[in-house]
Amino acid sequence: MSNPFSPPPYAELHCLSSFSFLRGASDPELLVERALALDYRALAITDECSMAGVVRAHTRIKRLTAAAQEQARATGRLAPDQELPALLHLIMGSEFLVRDEAGHPLFKLVLLARNALGYGQICQLITTLRRACAVKGRYHLSWPQLQPHQLDECLLLLLPLRECSEAQHQAQADWLLRHFQGRAWLGVTLLRELDDELWLQRLQALAEASSLPLLACGDVHMHVRSRKPLQDALTAIRLGRPIAACGHALQANAERHLRSRIKLAQLYPPALLAQTVVVAGQCLFNLAELRYQYPDEVVPAGATPASHLRRLTYEGAARRWPAGIPARHRQQIEHELALIAEKRYEHYFLTVADIVTHARSLPQPILCQGRGSAANSVVCFCLHISAVDPDRSQLLFERFISRERDEPPDIDVDFEHERREEVIQYLYRKYGRERAALAATVISYRPRSALRDIGRALDLDQALVERLARDHNGWSTEVLPPERLQALQAELGLDPADARLQQLLSLSRQLLGMPRHLSQHVGGFVLTRGPLSQLVPIENAAMPDRTVIEWDKDDLDSLNLMKVDVLALGMLSALR
């Protein structure tokens, strides 16, 4: 029997993380932990036109669940053959600002994936918008661009803007009902503003006139209210002016955090809170469902990946040992091929071999060489990916691929740095922009950049901020550790009680490690059989003729997705 005094269940369906760059003030991991502490039924990570933060939230839930499961088994509360369900239901989604033809904001739209198809549709929309924009990291979505048939496996939350007219709200609700009936809601965000009661009445009237249900949304930007000063600083950094000059661009209060269910029950009618759980119950997609499939081009017709890899391996072995393959090497080849087949990594080896073969088959061959743990593989040696002769070394294949570690292989191949672009463009030509892209690198705040950006946001003396920033080197991991701070205070005559100095240190330390923007990996390619944009969104890189996905190598590893590393080495150019 439920406790009549307990607050109603709630699922937060509109939440931005720090991967809504310079908008969200909390990392996905912190949002997950806070939602768990508040006993939410579900949490949707809905970064603006992005899926960049969802893997980190997913990974954090997996690790917390695994730790709870281990503890439960140790205390006898869980049988050894039982597994705990995920501690928190994570929902994949994204927020979009929809504009009119003139570029004026009309409403916000939150898309939630109810299954794998819906997730792919959201990723495809993000890709289309990001790739169509000439400015990296931005997008433009006008109302006519929204094609209902391309979102038929998504749930939609329309968040009207308070400044729009009643006629505009009615037109938006009519459109939503006409195209998305049964899977669309009007989102109500109440943030303890002066007109909250009137706003709720307006939306209730709109819901009655349009027959669309209402639900509660938090428009969350931070996990706890104490992050509000950092959120203000991020707004100032994004706008390029001091906090004091940001005016109404700053949030009016600190209510855009994950609030307790008791506080939410005091603000929202019970039916609006109940609808959040109804919506969450329809969103069944989990990132663990993603199934990565390698391209088929590397396998000729009539062959299987295993048979083709075996043939290429033994053809290469015959070239390596013209007098005959030594018995111990043949045995090692069979051992490696068996494990590769068991893990279904044949396509990966064939893809890397194809790239190396292409580079060496050009009229002016490109020097290339595999390195790293791949040098422990006789198969890589036979495919001419690596040149480490097993007769001259003690190979340990399990350093490269291990049944126990269950990690995808990682073959690093270096090419002449002046000609690597030829190899990159070969991959784009062969697989197309729809199926090939570079992995991302998340550029995060380091001590220097954190101090400089926060210093500008606080409008502090730039000479002083620069002096403090230069006290760190590129490998510093802390913002002014106590011993250095004391030395600098004595050297520069700083007042330890100065509130602005304390704020600079506090905000810089909070900002440290948070993502600033996405860049491109030095050469890690993700290649797929089907459209890559239905697995992860793709956007234009800063460099011309390059595209990049929104996940970095750690995200790919977390989901057991493989990448092909096409790297550059200046020494190979020097040898040339």
Side-chain angles (χ1 to χ4, degrees), residues 29 533 547:
E29 297 90 340
S533 56
T547 47

Side-chain angles (χ1 to χ4, degrees), residues 19 29 115 121 129 137 213 216 231-232 253 257 312 322 332 364-365 373 456 512 519 527 548:
F19 283 85
E29 297 90 340
N115 52 36
Q121 289 173 345
L129 297 175
Q231 213 287 323
D232 288 345
N253 57 35
H257 67 280
L312 293 183
Q332 180 64 22
Q364 183 180 353
S373 59
R456 282 190 286 268
L512 185 66
S519 183
L527 310 170
V548 60

Side-chain angles (χ1 to χ4, degrees), residues 9-16 40 42-46 91 94-96 108-112 155-162 176 184-193 196 199-200 203 213-222 253 255-260 263-265 267-277 279-280:
Y10 178 70
E12 181 53 68
L13 302 175
H14 185 200
C15 177
L16 305 185
Y40 281 13
L43 175 67
I45 298 295
T46 58
I91 298 171
S94 188
E95 172 204 275
F96 301 88
K108 287 184 179 180
L109 191 67
V110 173
L111 300 181
L112 303 176
L155 303 183
L156 291 85
L157 314 181
L158 190 147
L159 307 171
L161 301 181
R162 298 194 185 199
L176 195 67
W185 288 258
L186 293 173
V188 181
T189 304
L190 302 178
L191 300 168
R192 294 189 182 276
E193 297 178 324
D196 269 2
W199 178 238
L200 177 58
L203 291 182
L214 298 176
L215 59 70
C217 286
D219 191 17
V220 172
H221 284 60
M222 47 202 163
N253 57 35
E255 289 299 301
R256 284 182 170 88
H257 67 280
L258 291 173
R259 295 174 282 186
S260 72
K263 289 184 178 179
L264 292 168
L267 287 173
Y268 290 96
L272 274 65
L273 298 175
Q275 277 297 308
T276 66
V277 180
V279 172

